Amino acid sequence: RKEVEQDPGPFNVPEGATVAFNCTYSNSASQSFFWYRQDCRKEPKLLMSVYSSGNEDGRFTAQLNRASQYISLLIRDSKLSDSATYLCVVIPDSNYQLIWGAGTKLIIKP
Amino acid sequence: NAGVMQNPRHLVRRRGQEARLRCSPMKGHSHVYWYRQLPEEGLKFMVYLQKENIIDESGMPKERFSAEFPKEGPSILRIQQVVRGDSAAYFCASSPRGNNEQFFGPGTRLTVL
């Protein structure tokens, strides 16, 4: 089993819809979690950190489910500009190295 | 505060030549990471460095690849005797601490002819 797993997609979603995807992790002691977004041929950019209590930033909501060992990203009222690959990142307990998922590709269609 | 800088942005080399990629971390960041990304694939960790030290090079091929982060100046990823399979985007990231979110540079796209 991979340390961090994501559905590669692509998710084809009409503009204005709500879309959600998950990322599962294998190390139950993992402490920190992030969502990054990567546009085609660009560098990954930090989208949001994922806190135990969950967090929301505008149309984006991230949640952590420790019992089932996954994090989720919800995008409401999706825009064409949300089309990108969304990367899940996990930092294992007391470890420095970020473990990256392979990413979920999202395509928002007009 | 300038972000992570990488140069060159594009690099073309012929097989057998050397490629030298540079990365200047964000101000105040002493941790640098190098990743490689092949087309349509995810990021692959290569090496993690702090000033003058290699912390983890488990993702870097044992031959032809080397990395350094000197006390002064940028971090350098060096690929000797490049082959076509080295063609990829090479991203550098930096962080203020080891277990913290990372900030990426724009990448260097290496093409080996």
Side-chain angles (χ1 to χ4, degrees):
Chain A
R1 183 185 173 188
K2 291 182 181 178
E3 291 185 84
V4 176
E5 289 198 75
Q6 294 184 253
D7 182 340
F11 284 52
N12 291 285
V13 175
E15 191 177 6
T18 295
V19 60
F21 27 83
N22 295 338
C23 162
T24 59
Y25 59 94
S26 60
N27 187 337
S28 60
S30 296
Q31 293 297 312
S32 302
F33 310 86
F34 306 96
W35 282 104
Y36 280 73
R37 110 172 233 163
Q38 185 175 25
D39 293 284
C40 186
R41 299 183 65 80
K42 296 286 184 66
E43 73 272 23
K45 292 186 177 177
L46 180 65
L47 181 64
M48 56 200 311
S49 303
V50 187
Y51 305 123
S52 295
S53 55
N55 55 317
E56 188 173 315
D57 183 2
R59 297 180 295 107
F60 297 82
T61 300
Q63 300 224 307
L64 167 63
N65 185 317
R66 285 199 182 275
S68 300
Q69 293 182 211
Y70 72 86
I71 64 172
S72 62
L73 181 68
L74 178 81
I75 306 174
R76 288 180 296 278
D77 187 24
S78 53
K79 312 290 184 193
L80 295 177
S81 57
D82 294 334
S83 297
T85 296
Y86 289 84
L87 301 162
C88 164
V89 182
V90 174
I91 301 182
D93 180 34
S94 68
N95 199 338
Y96 55 80
Q97 191 182 123
L98 277 62
I99 309 298
W100 293 78
T104 296
K105 189 169 185 177
L106 176 65
I107 300 171
I108 306 298
K109 296 184 177 296
Chain B
N1 184 11
V4 179
M5 290 164 47
Q6 288 187 251
N7 68 82
R9 296 289 303 277
H10 300 274
L11 182 62
V12 179
R13 286 286 178 265
R14 296 190 181 280
R15 280 179 295 171
Q17 291 184 319
E18 177 179 291
R20 198 172 281 241
L21 289 60
R22 295 176 196 77
C23 169
S24 296
M26 287 179 71
K27 189 176 180 181
H29 289 192
S30 59
H31 300 253
V32 166
Y33 311 79
W34 284 94
Y35 294 86
R36 176 163 65 177
Q37 188 173 37
L38 295 169
E40 304 302 319
E41 293 190 14
L43 289 168
K44 301 294 183 192
F45 167 80
M46 297 182 74
V47 61
Y48 162 40
L49 310 102
Q50 280 183 270
K51 281 287 187 181
E52 300 185 273
N53 290 306
I54 296 176
I55 307 302
D56 182 353
E57 56 183 349
S58 60
M60 198 158 66
K62 294 287 186 288
E63 297 180 357
R64 303 188 297 108
F65 286 72
S66 62
E68 62 177 9
F69 189 16
K71 187 176 181 181
E72 301 291 336
S75 175
I76 306 286
L77 178 67
R78 184 179 173 208
I79 312 172
Q80 295 177 289
Q81 299 170 11
V82 295
V83 301
R84 288 223 174 103
D86 296 332
S87 296
Y90 291 83
F91 290 102
C92 165
S94 74
S95 68
R97 294 179 295 282
N99 60 344
N100 207 273
E101 62 261 32
Q102 297 173 5
F103 298 87
F104 282 78
T108 293
R109 299 195 180 279
L110 172 65
T111 301
V112 180
L113 301 177

